[in-house]
Amino acid sequence: MRARWLIPLILVAVLAAAEHTSSIRIHAPVSVETAPLEAREDCSGSFIPHALEHSTLPVSMPVGFYDSNGAGLAVNDLNADGWLDIVLANLAGDNSILWNQGGLQFEREPLPSQAPARAAATVDVDGDGWLDIVFTQQAAAPLFWRNQAGQGFEIQLLSGVSYIGYAMNWLDADRDGDLDLLTGSYDVENEKLLGQSAPRSGVIYYENQGDGFRATRIADRSNTLAILTRVNQSGDYEITIGNDFAVEDRYFTFVDGAWRGTDPLPVMPHSTMSYDAADLDNDGAQEVFAVDMKPYAEDETTRAQWAPVMDMMMGMPHVEGDPQIMENVLYAVDNAGRLANIARDFQLDGTGWSWSAKFGDLDNDGYQDLYVVNGMISQELFSHLPGNELVEENQVYRNLAGASFAAQPAWGLNDQASGRGMSLADLDNDGDLDALVNNLLGSAKLFENRLCAGAALEVDLRWLGTGNITGIGAQLVLHTDGGSYRRDLTALSGYLSGDSSRAHFGFAADASLERLSILWNDGLYSEIADLAPNTLVTVTRR
C-alpha cells in the first residue's frame, strides 16, 4: 500500500529523504515558549454550528453566473494576542474582520471594498513583522490593507501589482527572505464584464523587491480558481495552476530565478475548483487532491437536478487525448512507478458541486481527514430549481488510517448553506480544528469541534529579521512513538481561502512525543525536544 501513496513526481516535496542527511544539515538556533491548550469538557461527539456576523451577497439578484462563485476567507492572529482572527471577503458590501475575543466570541470590523472581493490572504506583505490583508477583486487588481502595527488597517498601494487577479498565493520562491505573489486571472469573467478587449492578465509572478513588486507573466491564458504551491525533491518550488472551463491545469518549476513550464499530467479535472495537499498515510510524502463538479449521490432526484448542466458539459468539444475528466482527482504513483488517479479507489471522485476542499486531522487520531463545501446558485444554470439553487450538503470524510476514507455525517458538518471559501483552524485554543465557511446568500458559519478526541500539539513559527515572519514554506514533522506526522506551511489552499500559519498535529491521547523537526524555507534545520501534548509551541528564530 505504501508504494501507491507516493506523491506524483512533479508535485513531490520530500522531507523524509532529508531525515537521512542530518550530518550535513546546518542548524538554525531557536527559542521555544509553550502555553497550554485547554480542552473542552462539553463534548457532543460532533461539530456545533455558530452563525457569524457576515453575509456574502451578490452584486445583483437573481444571482448571475459569476457572482455564483462567491468569495473566500482567511484566518490568522492579526493582533498578536494569541487568538486566531477571521477575515471574510464579500461581493456586494463590506469585507469583514472578526476579531477573536476568546470563548468563540467575535467583534466585527468592516473593511470597505473597492470592488467585489474574491480570495483573502493574511501575510506579511511589507516585512514589518505584522500580518497584512490582501483581497483579490473582480475585474481589478488586488487590494492591500496594511497592518498598522496592531493599531488598525489602512489601504495602501501594492506597488507594481496592477494586473487583474482572481486566485492568488504567496511564497518565497527565490529564497531571499520576503514573500512573492502569484495571481491567476479568470478570463471568461473579465471578458464578460469588460468585453473582448479585456486587458490580458493570465498567470503573473510578482517578485518582491522590497520597495515594490516586479511583474512577470508566466502564462497568457488563465481561468484560474486555485493555485497550489509545493517544494520538489530538488528543493525547488513548483506551482500548479487549477483552471476552470476546459483550460488545462498548468505546471511550473522555479529554476535559476525563473518559472519554467513542465509537462502536463496525464489526468486532471475538467473544471478545477480547489487544490490541497497532505501526507495522508504518514509516510513522509504528500498526496494532492483536486476537485471538480460531480454529484456525490446517484439517485433519480439528483440526476434530474444536475441534468441540464451535465448535458451542457458533455456537449462541449473534447480533443483526442484530452487529459481532463469531469470528476475529482487524487494523485498517487502506483507500484510500477506510474502516475495514477486513485480518487475512485477511495470514494472521493464525486463530492458534489465542490468549492474549497481541505485536509486536517479533525478527530486527532494522527490521520488527516477531508472537508468539502458544496452548492451552487445561478439563474443561468439552475433556473429549473427553486431559487435557481442546487442545494447540496457539505461533505466530510474520515481518514481510515491512510487506507481509505469514509463519509462521517454524524460529525454534523453536512451543512446546506451554499459554501464557497473554507478553512480549518483552532479558533478556541482547545487543541482541535474548527471549520470556517463563507457562504453565499447566508451567514458565514463557524463549526465548533466538540469531538473531544485524541490529543494535539500546535506550532507557531516566528522568523524574526525577515519578511516571512510566520515561516511560510517551512516543513514540520512531529515524531512520536506512534508515528511521524508532517505539516507544510502555506499561505492559501483550497478555493480562495487563506490558511492559518499555526500548524496543528493530532495524535492518540497516549502517544509519547519525541521531537519536532523544522526545515525552514532557506534550507536550515531546527529540532525541538521536551514536548508535551495539548500545548501551543511558539518557535522563534532570530
Side-chain angles (χ1 to χ4, degrees):
M1 190 277 293
R2 293 282 175 179
R4 299 182 65 213
W5 280 81
L6 295 174
I7 193 166
L9 296 180
I10 73 164
L11 296 168
V12 167
V14 178
L15 183 57
E19 289 295 314
H20 303 292
T21 60
S22 59
S23 61
I24 61 173
R25 285 180 170 175
I26 301 176
H27 286 257
V30 295
S31 60
V32 178
E33 298 179 4
T34 62
L37 295 168
E38 302 293 344
R40 301 188 65 94
E41 296 181 356
D42 50 348
C43 304
S44 64
S46 64
F47 286 74
I48 306 301
H50 302 272
L52 298 173
E53 192 182 352
H54 175 95
S55 293
T56 293
L57 302 174
V59 174
S60 61
M61 289 291 291
V63 178
F65 188 76
Y66 295 107
D67 276 7
S68 64
N69 287 7
L73 55 80
V75 56
N76 243 320
D77 186 357
L78 299 176
N79 56 359
D81 67 350
W83 297 95
L84 299 178
D85 307 299
I86 305 168
V87 176
L88 293 149
N90 207 338
L91 299 179
D94 292 337
N95 306 314
S96 301
I97 302 177
L98 301 185
W99 293 104
N100 193 338
Q101 308 297 306
L104 296 182
Q105 299 299 308
F106 298 89
E107 181 178 317
R108 180 176 181 266
E109 177 183 345
L111 292 179
S113 181
Q114 296 184 336
R118 293 296 195 184
T122 49
V123 293
D124 186 4
V125 173
D126 55 0
D128 66 351
W130 291 89
L131 295 180
D132 309 299
I133 300 172
V134 181
F135 297 104
T136 60
Q137 301 185 106
Q138 187 181 67
L143 179 64
F144 170 40
W145 286 89
R146 184 174 182 270
N147 192 331
Q148 305 294 302
Q151 302 302 309
F153 288 82
E154 178 181 271
I155 292 178
Q156 293 195 1
L157 178 68
L158 274 175
S159 179
V161 179
S162 58
Y163 292 100
I164 296 172
Y166 185 102
M168 68 174 160
N169 219 319
W170 293 80
L171 73 169
D172 183 8
D174 51 8
R175 314 299 177 105
D176 64 351
D178 54 28
L179 294 178
D180 310 307
L181 170 63
L182 285 161
T183 64
S185 61
Y186 198 45
D187 292 346
V188 291
E189 179 181 69
N190 296 339
E191 290 166 1
K192 178 180 179 181
L193 296 176
L194 304 175
Q196 293 300 315
S197 61
R200 278 194 314 145
S201 292
V203 179
I204 310 296
Y205 169 61
Y206 294 96
E207 180 189 352
N208 190 335
Q209 298 186 322
D211 58 351
F213 292 83
R214 183 182 68 181
T216 302
R217 180 180 285 108
I218 60 176
D220 291 330
R221 180 67 174 162
S222 171
N223 282 327
T224 304
L225 298 182
I227 300 175
L228 179 74
T229 64
R230 291 290 128 212
V231 178
N232 68 18
Q233 199 166 7
S234 300
D236 299 317
Y237 264 106
E238 295 180 338
I239 57 173
T240 303
I241 309 299
N243 286 313
D244 195 5
F245 282 112
V247 176
E248 290 188 13
D249 293 357
R250 301 287 302 278
Y251 313 92
F252 300 88
T253 304
F254 195 78
V255 180
D256 297 327
W259 291 102
R260 305 183 188 280
T262 55
D263 292 337
L265 295 180
V267 61
M268 65 185 70
H270 179 272
S271 301
T272 305
M273 319 285 279
S274 175
Y275 264 109
D276 197 18
D279 179 5
L280 298 179
D281 66 345
N282 299 328
D283 68 349
Q286 289 185 317
E287 286 68 57
V288 174
F289 186 57
V291 301
D292 201 329
M293 303 167 291
K294 181 181 178 180
Y296 52 75
E298 298 181 352
D299 58 277
E300 184 175 342
T301 299
T302 299
R303 287 196 298 269
Q305 291 173 333
W306 278 73
V309 174
M310 298 303 291
D311 291 344
M312 176 189 69
M313 299 286 284
M314 295 305 296
M316 290 182 176
H318 293 270
V319 299
E320 185 175 352
D322 187 354
Q324 299 174 106
I325 58 175
M326 296 179 187
E327 58 188 65
N328 300 342
V329 173
L330 180 62
Y331 293 109
V333 172
D334 65 17
N335 291 325
R338 295 168 300 193
L339 182 65
N341 169 25
I342 60 170
R344 290 190 179 185
D345 297 338
F346 292 92
Q347 295 78 51
L348 298 177
D349 55 305
T351 54
W353 195 293
S354 300
W355 300 92
S356 198
K358 296 197 180 192
F359 294 108
D361 188 355
L362 298 175
D363 57 353
N364 284 348
D365 68 346
Y367 291 91
Q368 295 189 75
D369 311 298
L370 175 67
Y371 189 40
V372 186
V373 296
N374 289 323
M376 186 59 170
I377 309 171
S378 171
Q379 180 186 27
E380 295 89 344
L381 295 177
F382 292 106
S383 60
H384 62 292
L385 298 179
N388 306 314
E389 181 174 5
L390 174 67
V391 178
E392 294 184 307
E393 293 184 348
N394 299 339
Q395 298 292 302
V396 61
Y397 302 89
R398 186 183 182 207
N399 185 337
L400 303 179
S404 61
F405 284 83
Q408 294 294 314
W411 282 359
L413 285 170
N414 293 53
D415 197 41
Q416 297 181 350
S418 209
R420 298 297 184 269
M422 179 273 292
S423 281
L424 305 172
D426 183 3
L427 273 297
D428 49 5
N429 288 352
D430 65 350
D432 51 33
L433 292 173
D434 309 299
L436 291 162
V437 183
N438 192 355
N439 296 309
L440 180 62
L441 274 183
S443 296
K445 290 185 180 179
L446 185 158
F447 294 90
E448 176 192 357
N449 190 334
R450 291 192 188 175
L451 297 180
C452 298
L457 186 83
E458 297 181 5
V459 183
D460 272 334
L461 299 187
R462 293 291 177 264
W463 193 358
L464 305 184
T466 74
N468 185 7
I469 185 65
T470 58
I472 289 172
Q475 301 170 3
L476 294 77
V477 176
L478 177 64
H479 304 272
T480 79
D481 63 348
S484 296
Y485 312 115
R486 172 183 172 175
R487 303 291 185 267
D488 289 23
L489 296 187
T490 54
L492 293 95
S493 62
Y495 174 71
L496 305 182
S497 298
D499 294 321
S500 167
S501 59
R502 181 179 297 176
H504 170 271
F505 297 89
F507 44 84
D510 60 354
S512 176
L513 306 187
E514 297 172 351
R515 69 187 190 280
L516 174 71
S517 303
I518 305 169
L519 183 61
W520 299 85
N521 194 56
D522 62 353
L524 272 62
Y525 173 81
S526 301
E527 191 167 280
I528 314 299
D530 300 322
L531 299 168
N534 300 318
T535 57
L536 170 60
V537 179
T538 301
V539 180
T540 302
R541 175 181 169 187
R542 302 181 187 277

